[in-house]
């Protein structure tokens, strides 16, 4: 059996408890998001097993740190696939990493559920790749429209984005299209890197462009510093942040300057479904705070795997499956099913793109320098 660990999946039986891989950022700047994903996944494992797992067989989440870069994500995927022999993977955190690591899973025929990958083109990476994170195309416009509701006089919009990040590039494209479609002017487009810390040049250009709205696509550490420097150099208007701003881990970075930031949400603790209300209650009990979007999406990823496995297990007990066959069947079942998750009712189209109904917008309200919350405005 030791030798079999290195061999082809096709000669192996499924082990129990059923191993599901979690390959998200546990280290690096990207852990600002990954921490929330781990929290969501842990709660899913706890609740699923408390309810009898998969027809009596518990699930076991296997964590591999995918950090913030492509190589770490590739290594995490490889370990999960060949050493840990998981049935499927929830991960990685960034689209930038998904474009590098997902093809490995596709070649090995392991189903992947992207928990937070929102760039265009993720499900199209392969047949085994789906996501529970609504794409930029459906989510980005919401916050921009909310900004126009708050301030209908907005005319000139400055756009900023991290040019070394696939998701930020994808998201800014949608933001820019929406700005034009709303009859507004793109006053300037400023580029930065996710590793930058000084944005004086870009912020100065934004001020010179006399923008009355700034729309930013970046990750949390760089994005938080952009906000701070915009305010330090006296930018007074509204700011819309993209998906990379959707974490309270941003608050220690931009501190009181985070106040007023608008961010679209693919999840709300206020969403009224019974499934969500149970999730919110359990999340609060465990972590003493409301569940954030990235936790809810990671939870949904684990749940989709468990729900799909349950359907398969009813036909033939999981322990009797050949691992390779089960992975293929699981992929099919994921795409065929309908799921009542904290994100609402989910399905997938035949490419693995998520079909989700409800979206929200929240505005940051800072209580003091470091503490604040996302207040839902839509
Ligand atoms: N939505 C981002 C992406 O697709 C990741 C998120 C964690 C900010 O890369």
């Amino acid at each position: 059996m030791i030798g079999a660990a290195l061999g082809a999946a096709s000669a192996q039986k499924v082990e129990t408890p059923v191993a599901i891989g979690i390959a998200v950022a546990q280290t690096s700047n990207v852990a600002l998001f990954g921490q929330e994903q781990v929290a969501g996944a842990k709660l899913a494992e706890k609740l699923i097993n408390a309810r009898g797992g998969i027809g009596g067989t518990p699930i076991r989440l296997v964590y591999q740190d995918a950090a913030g870069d492509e190589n770490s994500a590739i290594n995490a995927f490889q370990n999960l696939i060949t050493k840990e022999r998981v049935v499927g993977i929830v991960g990685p955190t960034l689209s930038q990493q998904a474009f590098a690591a997902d093809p490995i899973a596709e070649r090995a025929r392991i189903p992947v559920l992207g928990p937070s990958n929102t760039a265009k083109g993720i499900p199209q990476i392969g047949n085994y790749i789906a996501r529970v994170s609504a794409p930029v195309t459906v989510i980005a416009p919401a916050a921009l429209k909310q900004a126009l509701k708050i301030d209908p006089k907005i005319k000139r919009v400055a756009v900023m984005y991290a040019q070394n990040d696939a998701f930020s590039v994808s998201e800014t494209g949608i933001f820019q299209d929406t700005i034009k479609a709303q009859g507004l002017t793109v006053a300037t487009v400023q580029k930065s890197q996710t590793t930058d810390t000084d944005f004086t040049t870009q912020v100065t250009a934004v001020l010179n462009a006399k923008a009355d709205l700034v729309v930013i696509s970046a990750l949390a550490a760089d994005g938080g510093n952009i906000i701070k420097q915009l305010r330090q150099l006296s930018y007074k208007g509204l700011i819309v942040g993209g998906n990379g701003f959707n974490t309270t881990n941003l608050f220690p970075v931009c501190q009181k300057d985070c106040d007023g930031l608008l961010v679209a949400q693919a999840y709300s603790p206020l969403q009224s479904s019974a499934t969500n209300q149970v999730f919110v209650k359990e999340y609060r009990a465990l972590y003493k705070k409301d569940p954030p979007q990235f936790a809810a999406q990671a939870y949904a990823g684990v749940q989709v795997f468990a729900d799909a496995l349950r359907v398969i297990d009813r036909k033939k007990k999981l322990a009797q499956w050949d691992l390779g066959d089960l992975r293929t069947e699981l992929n099919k079942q994921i795409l065929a099913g309908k799921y009542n998750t904290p994100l609402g009712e989910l399905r997938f189209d035949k490419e693995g793109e998520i079909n989700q109904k409800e979206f929200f917008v929240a505005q940051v309200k800072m209580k003091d320098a470091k503490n604040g919350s996302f207040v839902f405005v839509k």
Side-chain angles (χ1 to χ4, degrees):
M1 274 322 281
I2 295 165
L6 303 168
S10 58
Q12 298 164 16
K13 284 284 176 227
V14 175
E15 285 174 17
T16 56
V18 183
I20 299 172
I22 308 291
V24 297
Q26 294 179 275
T27 57
S28 87
N29 270 346
V30 180
L32 295 175
F33 312 111
Q35 281 168 359
E36 297 183 336
Q37 298 180 304
V38 168
K42 286 213 161 112
L43 179 58
E45 180 183 43
K46 182 173 167 227
L47 294 187
I48 288 164
N49 285 341
R51 291 170 195 153
I54 316 295
T57 305
I59 60 163
R60 180 172 67 94
L61 299 187
V62 184
Y63 294 86
Q64 282 284 326
D65 181 12
D69 61 311
E70 293 89 328
N71 279 338
S72 303
I74 289 172
N75 287 337
F77 270 49
Q78 270 164 346
N79 278 331
L80 289 172
I81 295 166
T82 56
K83 292 211 188 85
E84 304 290 347
R85 290 176 283 157
V86 299
V87 296
I89 298 174
V90 175
T93 301
L94 300 181
S95 295
Q96 178 75 29
Q97 297 173 295
F99 287 119
D102 285 358
I104 310 255
E106 175 66 18
R107 279 198 291 279
R109 304 193 186 166
I110 315 291
V112 173
L113 287 171
S116 51
N117 316 141
T118 57
K120 270 204 243 176
I122 295 286
Q124 290 74 24
I125 293 171
N127 292 332
Y128 282 77
I129 316 301
R131 62 173 150 195
V132 293
S133 42
V136 287
T137 39
V138 303
I139 190 163
L144 194 83
K145 288 179 186 160
Q146 191 64 31
L148 292 176
K149 249 197 215 159
I150 295 172
D151 183 359
K153 293 199 294 291
I154 289 170
K155 289 263 145 38
R156 298 176 59 77
V157 186
V159 174
M160 305 177 80
Y161 74 96
Q163 61 179 333
N164 62 331
D165 177 62
F167 139 74
S168 298
V169 170
S170 182
E171 188 186 66
T172 195
I174 302 300
F175 272 137
Q176 293 182 42
D177 290 348
T178 312
I179 291 164
K180 289 171 205 154
Q182 295 287 319
L184 308 172
T185 306
V186 176
T188 181
V189 177
Q190 293 298 315
K191 301 174 196 169
S192 55
Q193 305 279 331
T194 49
T195 46
D196 285 350
T197 50
D198 179 2
F199 301 93
T200 316
T201 314
Q202 292 90 338
V203 168
T204 306
V206 167
L207 295 172
N208 289 340
K210 308 231 170 311
D212 33 32
L213 173 67
V214 179
V215 176
I216 315 169
S217 296
L219 301 181
D222 51 327
N225 279 315
I226 293 176
I227 294 181
K228 198 157 106 191
Q229 291 170 33
L230 277 165
R231 295 306 185 200
Q232 274 167 354
L233 293 176
S234 297
Y235 171 70
K236 296 271 183 317
L238 277 172
I239 302 175
V240 165
N243 199 240
F245 292 75
N246 204 351
T247 170
T248 54
N249 291 333
L250 177 79
F251 300 169
V253 187
C254 45
Q255 305 198 346
K256 64 178 187 344
D257 294 327
C258 307
D259 202 66
L261 173 72
L262 289 163
V263 183
Q265 311 276 330
Y267 170 73
S268 166
L270 303 174
Q271 201 266 0
S272 60
S273 70
T275 308
N276 186 40
Q277 287 316 307
V278 171
F279 168 69
V280 171
K281 195 172 136 250
E282 297 284 351
Y283 196 95
R284 281 185 186 145
L286 193 58
Y287 301 113
K288 315 284 172 246
K289 55 181 173 192
D290 274 354
Q293 174 200 271
F294 292 121
Q297 288 175 324
Y299 181 100
V302 177
Q303 188 198 327
V304 167
F305 272 128
D307 287 358
L309 284 167
R310 228 172 267 123
V311 175
I312 297 170
D313 181 74
R314 280 200 287 268
K315 295 181 214 152
K316 178 173 144 191
K317 278 298 192 196
L318 294 186
Q320 290 162 17
W321 280 82
D322 165 86
L323 179 58
D325 291 347
L326 178 64
R327 286 165 168 172
T328 298
E329 185 67 17
L330 177 56
N331 189 55
K332 258 198 236 154
Q333 185 55 45
I334 286 169
L335 299 185
K338 190 170 89 182
Y339 308 89
N340 281 317
T341 76
L343 310 175
E345 186 189 290
L346 302 186
R347 298 166 177 279
F348 300 92
D349 73 11
K350 62 180 190 315
E351 290 190 308
E353 184 60 281
I354 185 176
N355 193 330
Q356 178 185 348
K357 299 196 177 81
E358 280 179 89
F359 299 99
F360 310 86
V361 178
Q363 187 161 34
V364 174
K365 184 89 204 112
M366 294 303 289
K367 218 169 47 208
D368 51 49
K370 297 224 164 116
N371 301 290
S373 56
F374 283 99
V375 178
F376 282 77
V377 292
K378 184 194 161 266

